[in-house]
Amino acid sequence: MALPNNVNTQPGDASEPPGYCGRFAPSPTGPLHLGSLVAALASWLDARAHAGRWLVRIENIDPPREESSAARTQLAALMALGLVPDEAPTYQSDNSERYEQAVARLRATGQLYSCTCSRTAVEQAAQRLGLPPTVYPGTCRDLGLSGRQAALRVRVPAHSVAFVDRACGEYSQDLEREVGDFVVRRADGLWAYQLAVVVDDGVQRVSDIVRGADLLDNTPRQIHLQRLLQLPTPRYLHVPIVRNAAGEKLSKQTGAPPLQSSDPVGQLESAWRLLGFAATGAATAAEFLAHAVLAWQVRWRRAASRVDTIAAAGSPPSS
């Protein structure tokens, strides 16, 4: 599917977006856990509260990190919880052609360049310049490099990119000072998350993105790409990430236990409480979801100019 043309590129419209469309986009690196469920449930509820569509997109563009059966396990877990997408799930591995189109657009407007810097070289150059180690200082920006073993970086503006998050309020980031030119295609030929997520959200006409707060600082980069590719900027709602007893984000790497399909109501109630709501006392998943949609409408179905907060500590609730 080709990228849309002649679309509105102005973010921050305070009115309700026409044709609400939300999405949940897990990477198939392991089974879903409570942290995943918090994001999935919030996204599903926001779509239902706005009488919109809800999609599931498997972000499988990093084969070295993926498990062969993870996507199937993740989709089965969502079904068991009643979080059913309105269309068949899609897979990013099918979308290389549209990513190539996006790169061609960026290249044609002079926004891309090749970079041969290793991660160590980036850290060393940043240190010499007194920058944080993760900030790319533009080493290859004007060298005119080429070759298959080079990454592709997109130029960033010398000014801040800001947006208003529905939960976190106004967020601003100086991309040049805090991030630097960032990668859209890796040196090994794999597509970078930032490009793939922006292109797919644009093609699928996603109007609202509800996801974990660990991705909040990714958003200005994505807005920059949206503007370069003349794609609309969705509304954003970043929800709390779930942490373990050591304060670490729940993940496969920190030993997060997988969701238990034998207790869908208990799993949903746990995620619901982490989103700042009182337990529903529902007997079935269907009863829980019906209650939760109504409660979500009361809190979150508001104009984008209003900001709310989620009063959750981010630690798993006790059972």
Side-chain angles (χ1 to χ4, degrees):
M1 184 183 297
L3 291 173
N5 290 307
N6 302 320
V7 294
N8 175 26
T9 61
Q10 298 301 315
D13 182 0
S15 63
E16 286 288 355
Y20 182 108
C21 180
R23 51 74 165 171
F24 175 58
S27 298
T29 56
L32 298 181
H33 50 74
L34 181 58
S36 315
L37 179 55
V38 166
L41 177 61
S43 176
W44 185 91
L45 288 172
D46 205 56
R48 293 295 175 259
H50 290 85
R53 292 184 302 129
W54 187 68
L55 310 178
V56 172
R57 182 174 69 228
I58 303 298
E59 297 197 334
N60 60 336
I61 53 170
D62 194 357
R65 296 182 57 242
E66 294 161 13
E67 293 184 0
S68 59
S69 61
R72 183 169 62 253
T73 301
Q74 290 174 344
L75 293 171
L78 292 174
M79 292 289 290
L81 293 162
L83 305 181
V84 181
D86 295 305
E87 299 177 9
T90 59
Y91 294 79
Q92 283 190 328
S93 57
D94 296 333
N95 300 337
S96 287
E97 183 177 352
R98 66 175 64 153
Y99 306 148
E100 291 282 7
Q101 291 177 355
V103 162
R105 283 195 185 187
L106 295 171
R107 198 191 302 276
T109 55
Q111 300 298 329
L112 288 185
Y113 63 90
S114 296
C115 173
T116 57
C117 294
S118 66
R119 182 173 298 179
T120 299
V122 171
E123 292 175 354
Q124 291 173 344
Q127 184 178 32
R128 287 195 300 270
L129 295 170
L131 298 171
T134 57
V135 175
Y136 182 70
T139 306
C140 297
R141 178 181 265 223
D142 300 314
L143 298 183
L145 301 175
S146 61
R148 290 184 175 274
Q149 298 305 311
L152 291 179
R153 290 185 182 270
V154 65
R155 300 174 187 270
V156 300
H159 57 77
S160 295
V161 174
F163 70 102
V164 177
D165 186 80
R166 291 167 58 198
C168 303
E170 184 170 354
Y171 184 86
S172 178
Q173 188 179 69
D174 186 323
L175 289 178
E176 186 176 57
R177 293 179 178 274
E178 298 180 57
V179 178
D181 299 338
F182 57 92
V183 172
V184 293
R185 192 181 69 196
R186 293 168 20 180
D188 58 9
L190 295 179
W191 298 107
Y193 162 75
Q194 305 294 355
L195 178 78
V197 70
V198 164
V199 170
D200 289 337
D201 285 338
V203 169
Q204 294 184 296
R205 300 193 179 278
V206 172
S207 68
D208 283 70
I209 294 173
V210 180
R211 61 188 181 184
D214 55 319
L215 293 171
L216 181 67
D217 66 354
N218 283 244
T219 309
R221 276 170 276 178
Q222 293 166 16
I223 291 174
H224 177 55
L225 279 177
Q226 290 157 3
R227 292 171 176 171
L228 292 179
L229 294 169
Q230 296 186 301
L231 296 170
T233 292
R235 296 194 305 178
Y236 289 93
L237 170 58
H238 287 87
V239 299
I241 59 173
V242 182
R243 301 183 184 277
N244 62 18
E248 303 166 316
K249 175 192 169 186
L250 277 188
S251 68
K252 176 183 174 181
Q253 288 71 30
T254 58
L259 296 177
Q260 299 299 316
S261 59
S262 60
D263 183 23
V265 176
Q267 304 281 323
L268 289 166
E269 290 279 17
S270 293
W272 183 238
R273 285 149 61 191
L274 284 166
L275 287 166
F277 292 86
T280 70
T284 66
E287 182 182 339
F288 167 86
L289 292 172
H291 172 97
V293 168
L294 294 177
W296 193 270
Q297 283 180 327
V298 171
R299 178 175 293 186
W300 290 112
R301 187 164 180 169
R302 299 175 176 176
S305 57
R306 291 285 298 276
V307 176
D308 204 340
T309 58
I310 298 174
S315 298
S318 57
S319 54

